């Protein structure tokens, strides 16, 4: 069976995967870019946004595992954009421009479904009001036998972990204290019973934690 | 000036440095021994309790830094024992038997002071109702020019970090999720602005984080 994978999920030492106060200008709220600096340096990220160069060491190796073998993504509505409640602006097509880096179907979980959006480069956004298990069934259908990525944010990843639907979880621990925002780890006591966990610190100063289902 | 140091402070991935429900039989509550397994394996710990053997690698190197250069410790009343409120049992002399491993004056912070206890091997427990700065002044006097260790638990360490009195903080991140207990990191947003942070993962699977004052 295809796997359910989470990649490059950056978390502060105090457990926040995003800050407080998301806006159009600040997708991570008061966290700014602090959770993602390690990622922006990598060749994997730079090539994703059409740039040359970037680091080629361990951080890049982890970052590069994001795309291969993935046939669909599931994300939360707050990763897709800063609007809350009913959509005021249906022109909003995500943070990523006309050609988003996903290149697969993407299922956006929301209590406010809207028509699908077909973008350049193979990305289609579908809006879905569904339980994690239902959303996963839809994404698996669309993935053509490939794996499904749970793309975040923390509220969404936490739901899939809670429902025991995740096979591979890659978390990047950034040694900062955000103090506030959305926590990843709440309600997941003893998660390690279901996974082996391998931590690796890299020269950039982050620690990659790979949780693999036992 | 002598330094203020924290060593071997074990924290779960979700930020808890002790579990819920401390009792005489379970000093770390529902966390059991899970936060301290890495430490129990080390030669440093085994020699502390009069045993031979133990690991001699990186974990032991970190663990061994606990004693040298220390002239006094400050600890919280819950590290000293499981009683709360007024002392019902003044016979209680800590978890460590007649010859505790400190071998220096130890200042126990409590709102319920009681007479000092002179133990074998150079440890004296003094009970002190004081602010962190006042307690530190007392401990510095007693330390004879040597460093002062803040011994925990998390409530006590957090107070000293909050008052910006800590020079060196060694935290051991254990890749488990305790789910509940006492958090270390609350109220310390942007602590990294005051410290350089060096994370190192060791083969036992823990990650040592050394915070050194900038
Ligand atoms: N640290 C990282 O690596 C990383 C990765 C990705 C994203 N992020 C950041 O994380 C933030 C977003 O995370 P978040 O935790 O706030 O939100 P999120 O997980 O992106 O989205 C949560 C929202 O999605 C909808 N939703 C989720 N599950 C649903 C379900 N089962 N059924 C129906 N609707 C559902 C709900 O919105 P409605 O009820 O409003 O429809 C919910 O409030 C953003 O700031 C993003 O930049 C960080
Ligand atoms: N993870 C580790 O490496 C590590 C290290 C050490 C200890 N521990 C564990 O941590 C737990 C204890 O931690 P904790 O956070 O619950 O408590 P703690 O820090 O040991 O003690 C807190 C208590 O000390 C007293 N106190 C603290 N500051 C004071 C002040 N400024 N003035 C007067 N009294 C003060 C108060 O007690 P009263 O008001 O009742 O007097 C307060 O409730 C234990 O389970 C221990 O085993 C873990």
């Amino acid at each position: 069976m295809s796997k359910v994978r989470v990649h490059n999920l950056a978390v502060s030492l105090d457990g926040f995967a995003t800050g407080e106060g998301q806006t159009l200008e600040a997708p991570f709220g008061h966290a700014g870019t602090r959770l993602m600096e390690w990622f922006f340096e990598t060749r994997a990220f730079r090539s994703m946004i059409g740039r040359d160069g970037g680091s080629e060491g361990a951080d890049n190796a982890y970052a590069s595992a994001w795309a291969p073998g993935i046939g669909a993504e599931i994300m939360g509505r707050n990763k897709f954009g800063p609007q809350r409640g009913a959509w005021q602006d249906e022109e909003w097509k995500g943070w990523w421009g006309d050609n988003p880096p996903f290149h697969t179907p993407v299922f956006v979980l929301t209590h406010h479904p809207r028509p699908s959006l077909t973008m350049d480069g193979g990305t289609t956004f579908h809006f879905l009001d569904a339980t994690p298990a239902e959303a996963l069934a839809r994404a698996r259908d669309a993935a053509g036998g490939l794996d499904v990525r749970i793309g975040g944010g923390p509220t969404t990843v936490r739901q899939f972990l809670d429902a025991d639907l995740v096979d591979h979880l890659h978390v990047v621990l950034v040694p900062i204290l955000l103090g506030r925002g959305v926590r990843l780890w709440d309600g997941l006591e003893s998660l390690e019973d279901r996974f082996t966990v391998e931590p690796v610190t890299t020269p950039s100063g982050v620690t990659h934690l790979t949780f693999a289902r036992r």
Side-chain angles (χ1 to χ4, degrees), chain A:
Chain A
M1 176 108 100
S2 76
K3 298 217 180 242
V4 177
R5 294 157 41 189
V6 177
H7 289 274
N8 300 335
L9 185 64
V11 174
S12 66
L13 257 188
D14 49 351
F16 297 101
T18 190
E20 208 174 68
Q22 187 191 50
T23 63
L24 194 57
E25 294 72 32
F28 286 73
H30 86 288
T33 57
R34 285 180 288 164
L35 285 171
M36 302 313 273
E37 297 293 348
W38 71 274
F39 184 56
F40 295 159
E41 297 301 319
T42 62
R43 176 175 281 266
F45 173 75
R46 294 178 64 90
S47 81
M48 208 182 273
I49 59 166
R51 295 262 196 92
D52 287 336
S55 69
E56 299 182 31
D59 287 342
N60 188 55
Y62 282 100
S64 302
W66 179 81
I70 295 290
E73 164 155 330
I74 299 170
M75 68 168 66
R77 184 259 177 96
N78 302 354
K79 172 171 169 180
F80 180 72
Q83 293 183 63
R84 299 291 187 270
W87 300 94
Q88 293 99 45
D89 175 10
E90 288 215 11
E91 289 304 293
W92 176 259
K93 294 176 174 164
W95 308 96
W96 304 276
D98 293 333
N99 185 357
F102 307 106
H103 312 300
T104 67
V106 173
F107 295 87
V108 180
L109 288 172
T110 175
H111 295 101
H112 305 275
R114 46 179 271 198
S116 296
L117 292 170
T118 303
M119 310 294 290
D120 295 345
T123 301
T124 310
F125 292 111
H126 301 287
F127 299 85
L128 209 59
D129 185 355
T131 66
E134 291 162 355
L136 181 56
R138 279 289 303 273
R140 276 213 157 107
D141 273 353
L146 294 178
D147 291 349
V148 173
R149 186 175 50 232
I150 312 300
T155 304
T156 297
V157 172
R158 208 190 312 118
Q159 279 181 64
F160 281 82
L161 287 169
D162 196 40
D164 198 15
L165 294 172
V166 175
D167 299 302
H168 176 99
L169 168 67
H170 168 229
V171 168
V172 186
L173 200 79
V174 181
I176 59 175
L177 294 179
L178 288 178
R180 53 213 158 93
V182 183
R183 288 191 198 267
L184 175 62
W185 301 122
D186 280 5
L188 296 174
E189 181 174 338
S190 297
L191 184 69
E192 68 278 7
D193 291 348
R194 299 191 254 132
F195 293 89
T196 60
V197 190
E198 188 197 79
V200 172
T201 301
T202 59
S204 67
V206 301
T207 300
H208 297 269
L209 292 153
T210 306
F211 290 69
R213 184 189 280 282
R214 283 183 198 275

